[in-house]
Amino acid sequence: MGVDGIVPDMPPIRAPWIIDTLMDIGASEPGAMGPVPLSWGTIGQWQSCIGLELAPWLCRLLRRLSAEFVAESQNAREPDCPAPWTDITDGTNRPTVSRKVSQAFRALINSKE
């Protein structure tokens, strides 16, 4: 896993069986305009087929994880999207950082001319 042999640092998983259950059901399901979160019906049908009865809290958690998966997969299409496990700033200094980066590129371009 990784591009060009680079493996990203991943956060520790404390309950891998929950992720395994989500991946067994499927992290999302097809919708009319792309992936959508798992429906309650899909979770219920999976339980019926497997012969398990999940606790209500676990069903809610799996549905929420599925919704987060779909949302993050859409956000990840943006080139500047941070990894979901990194600390995200509140964005208050984003304009300042953006201005400084723009000025640095402008200075670099002007120095080449």
Side-chain angles (χ1 to χ4, degrees), residues 39-71:
S39 67
W40 293 110
T42 299
I43 295 170
Q45 286 297 320
W46 179 85
Q47 290 180 85
S48 176
C49 289
I50 298 298
L52 291 175
E53 187 172 337
L54 301 176
W57 69 267
L58 184 54
C59 292
R60 286 191 302 271
L61 177 61
L62 291 170
R63 181 147 160 73
R64 180 170 178 203
L65 288 172
S66 177
E68 292 291 330
F69 178 87
V70 170

Side-chain angles (χ1 to χ4, degrees), residues 4-90:
D4 298 327
I6 299 171
V7 179
D9 292 330
M10 300 292 282
I13 298 175
R14 294 187 181 146
W17 64 273
I18 293 175
I19 303 301
D20 291 342
T21 303
L22 178 66
M23 291 298 123
D24 194 30
I25 298 171
S28 63
E29 58 187 56
M33 297 183 69
V36 296
L38 294 174
S39 67
W40 293 110
T42 299
I43 295 170
Q45 286 297 320
W46 179 85
Q47 290 180 85
S48 176
C49 289
I50 298 298
L52 291 175
E53 187 172 337
L54 301 176
W57 69 267
L58 184 54
C59 292
R60 286 191 302 271
L61 177 61
L62 291 170
R63 181 147 160 73
R64 180 170 178 203
L65 288 172
S66 177
E68 292 291 330
F69 178 87
V70 170
E72 191 58 36
S73 66
Q74 293 299 316
N75 292 340
R77 294 174 189 244
E78 298 298 323
D80 64 344
C81 179
W85 59 86
T86 58
D87 290 334
I88 298 174
T89 61
D90 60 3

